[in-house]
């Protein structure tokens, strides 16, 4: 079944999303503020880019002990994930700014994070946000054979150990982006004619992808070699940077969707889903640590995953205020609002879910 065959129910007897959307629009109108980013977001952008770039500059320009270099590359990884969650993410959802050129510029930060904007927009904006938690359609819950994120995925005997090894493999996420994932995705998405907006010219996309990778490796590999850092130190630093970013991004992603309180619904035999798209998002997403300032600041509001999935066109800096509106409206219509109060509890529950999904399914 292809992604285009899935159809969400058009019937919403409670008129949930219509009511919610009206209340959200009223909030912005009464406050007289834009739905895009503000000064808070711009300050965060500077902070995240400093975390990304400053440690690299220190490594390239100052003699320092090996342990100091390792710390610097860990901080670079933290900055890499921070730029991805706070800057690139909003920009490629076109919510960073009301100006298209600013969104395009900030969205292009993905190229120094190992990614490609066309691939990211298709995988995230189209497949993940449209077909959230639907096996075979949402690539965010597809880790190949090695990790089983959905009860609908094929079970292998080694999955019973995934609760032990999954977190270690999470660190490989952005390494794969840098080496193989983008090339595979460009080939697959162009072949399937998938796009977010205007379909790119294949030759232009391949050229853009290759040039982007050249620039990426020039910054993170060639430049350190050029200033005299030995190759094995460059390799170790590269892996430490990516492993740090990969673990952070993977954990944040999985805490939002692969949890005991989120569902993994599937379409019926003709491709119809039980719920409307908006209600589907409530059943398949979960918030975590809503009162933790540091988590909210660093993750780019991705701990408010419910609000993000319902209103991806609104910058994350507004999610804290919108959360009460969404939560109260969901309660009013007797709909779920999934949430874990702390980051620690969410991680524990994700671990438990990995354990449950790793067990051999019982035969009905």
């Amino acid at each position: 079944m292809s992604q285009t065959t899935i159809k969400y129910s058009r019937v919403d007897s409670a008129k949930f999303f219509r009511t919610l959307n009206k209340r959200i629009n009223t909030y912005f109108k009464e406050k007289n503020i834009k739905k895009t980013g503000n000064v808070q977001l711009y300050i965060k952008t500077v902070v995240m880019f400093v975390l990304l770039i400053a440690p690299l500059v220190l490594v390239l320009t100052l003699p320092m002990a090996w342990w100091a270099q390792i710390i610097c590359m860990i901080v670079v990884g933290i900055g890499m994930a921070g730029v991805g969650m706070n800057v690139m993410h909003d920009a490629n959802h076109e919510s960073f700014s009301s100006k298209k050129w600013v969104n395009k510029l900030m969205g292009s930060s993905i190229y120094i994070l190992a990614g490609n904007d066309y691939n990211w927009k298709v995988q995230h904006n189209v497949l993940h946000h449209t077909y959230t938690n639907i096996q075979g359609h949402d690539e965010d819950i597809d880790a190949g054979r090695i990790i089983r994120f959905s009860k609908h995925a094929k079970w292998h005997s080694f999955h019973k150990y995934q609760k032990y090894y999954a977190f270690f493999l999470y660190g490989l996420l952005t390494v794969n982006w840098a080496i193989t994932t983008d090339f595979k995705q460009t080939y697959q998405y162009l072949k399937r004619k998938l796009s977010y907006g205007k379909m790119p010219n294949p030759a232009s996309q391949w050229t853009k992808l290759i040039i982007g990778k050249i620039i990426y490796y020039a910054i993170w590999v060639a430049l350190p070699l050029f200033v005299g850092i030995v190759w094995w130190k460059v390799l170790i630093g590269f892996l430490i940077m990516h492993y740090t970013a990969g673990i952070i991004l993977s954990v944040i992603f999985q805490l939002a969707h692969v949890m005991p309180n989120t569902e993994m619904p599937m379409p019926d035999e003709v491709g119809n889903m039980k719920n409307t798209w908006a209600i589907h998002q409530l059943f398949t997403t979960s918030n975590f640590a809503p009162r933790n300032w540091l988590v909210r600041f660093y993750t780019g509001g991705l701990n408010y995953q419910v609000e993000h999935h319902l209103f991806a066109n609104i910058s994350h800096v507004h999610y804290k205020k919108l959360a009460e509106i969404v939560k109260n409206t969901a309660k009013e219509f007797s709909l779920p609002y999934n949430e874990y109060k702390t980051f620690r509890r969410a991680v524990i529950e994700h671990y438990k879910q990995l354990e449950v999904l790793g067990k051999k399914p019982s035969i009905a």
Side-chain angles (χ1 to χ4, degrees):
M1 183 185 295
S2 66
Q3 277 76 12
T4 55
T5 61
I6 287 185
K7 297 180 180 179
Y8 286 100
S9 170
R10 293 179 180 274
V11 179
D12 181 0
S13 58
K15 307 302 180 193
F16 163 73
F17 195 56
R18 183 185 303 175
T19 301
L20 176 60
N21 202 42
K22 182 178 180 180
R23 291 173 180 176
I24 295 297
N25 287 333
T26 298
Y27 166 82
F28 283 99
K29 185 176 181 179
E30 290 179 347
K31 296 292 182 180
N32 193 29
I33 55 177
K34 294 181 178 180
K35 295 181 179 180
T36 50
N38 53 24
V39 174
Q40 178 187 344
L41 179 56
Y42 306 149
I43 293 174
K44 291 177 68 177
T45 298
V46 173
V47 171
M48 298 306 163
F49 272 109
V50 168
L51 286 175
L52 175 67
I53 298 172
L56 177 64
V57 173
L58 293 178
V59 169
L60 295 177
T61 59
L62 297 178
M64 57 177 65
W66 64 268
W67 57 266
Q69 291 177 324
I70 289 177
I71 291 175
C72 281
M73 295 315 295
I74 290 174
V75 176
V76 170
I78 293 171
M80 176 181 286
V83 170
M85 292 184 291
N86 289 274
V87 184
M88 183 277 293
H89 187 258
D90 268 28
N92 282 325
H93 272 299
E94 300 180 358
S95 65
F96 186 95
S97 171
S98 57
K99 296 179 174 61
K100 289 186 177 181
W101 71 268
V102 175
N103 286 324
K104 187 173 183 178
L105 177 62
M106 293 295 102
S108 296
S109 61
I110 193 172
Y111 288 98
I112 60 174
L113 306 178
N116 175 269
D117 61 346
Y118 164 68
N119 292 335
W120 190 89
K121 287 178 181 178
V122 171
Q123 179 183 341
H124 187 78
N125 292 3
V126 177
L127 302 182
H128 175 60
H129 273 265
T130 307
Y131 309 106
T132 312
N133 276 20
I134 301 177
Q135 178 65 29
H137 302 267
D138 180 2
E139 293 185 359
D140 279 19
I141 59 168
D142 180 8
R145 297 175 57 188
I146 194 65
I147 303 177
R148 187 171 183 256
F149 283 139
S150 170
K151 64 181 181 181
H152 303 292
K154 185 177 180 180
W155 181 85
H156 297 278
S157 58
F158 54 78
H159 285 144
K160 59 187 176 182
Y161 304 111
Q162 70 177 18
K163 63 180 180 180
Y164 301 118
Y165 64 73
F167 281 88
F168 293 101
L169 294 182
Y170 285 170
L172 301 178
L173 173 67
T174 59
V175 175
N176 288 335
W177 280 358
I179 300 173
T180 62
T181 301
D182 274 324
F183 295 98
K184 292 178 180 179
Q185 287 183 332
T186 285
Y187 173 77
Q188 293 170 356
Y189 295 162
L190 289 176
K191 183 178 180 179
R192 295 163 60 189
K193 299 187 184 302
L194 296 176
S195 68
Y196 180 70
K198 184 179 179 181
M199 187 72 193
N201 177 277
S204 297
Q205 167 56 20
W206 280 112
T207 301
K208 189 176 180 182
L209 174 62
I210 292 171
I211 292 175
K213 292 300 179 183
I214 291 173
I215 294 173
Y216 171 79
Y217 282 110
I219 294 173
W220 299 108
V221 177
L223 182 58
L225 290 172
F226 179 77
V227 299
I229 300 177
V230 295
W231 69 268
W232 59 270
K233 285 188 176 182
V234 174
L235 177 60
I236 291 174
F238 182 84
L239 293 176
I240 289 174
M241 169 187 73
H242 272 295
Y243 199 81
T244 301
I247 286 181
I248 294 170
L249 292 171
S250 293
V251 169
I252 296 303
F253 292 163
Q254 303 314 327
L255 295 189
H257 298 287
V258 185
M259 303 292 286
N261 64 356
T262 57
E263 296 187 4
M264 299 276 179
M266 292 292 285
D268 61 23
E269 61 277 2
V270 294
N272 293 321
M273 298 299 295
K274 176 182 178 181
N275 295 311
T276 60
W277 171 84
I279 292 178
H280 176 87
Q281 303 307 314
L282 292 178
F283 280 97
T284 57
T285 60
S286 181
N287 290 357
F288 58 91
R291 296 182 181 179
N292 188 314
W293 177 88
L294 181 59
V295 170
R296 183 172 67 251
F297 179 87
Y298 178 65
T299 65
L302 291 180
N303 59 321
Y304 287 101
Q305 194 71 196
V306 175
E307 287 68 33
H308 173 60
H309 268 257
L310 290 172
F311 300 101
N313 63 319
I314 298 177
S315 174
H316 74 266
V317 295
H318 304 293
Y319 290 164
K320 180 183 178 182
K321 298 294 185 180
L322 302 187
E324 284 303 311
I325 300 174
V326 176
K327 188 173 185 177
N328 291 335
T329 306
K331 181 178 180 181
E332 180 181 332
F333 289 107
S334 300
L335 291 169
Y337 185 85
N338 300 318
E339 183 178 69
Y340 292 96
K341 298 300 183 183
T342 67
F343 179 77
R344 177 176 176 275
R345 174 48 55 186
V347 171
I348 291 172
E349 293 302 319
H350 174 61
Y351 174 83
K352 290 181 179 179
Q353 186 69 354
L354 287 174
E355 182 178 19
V356 169
L357 293 170
K359 294 179 180 179
K360 184 177 182 180
S362 58
I363 301 176

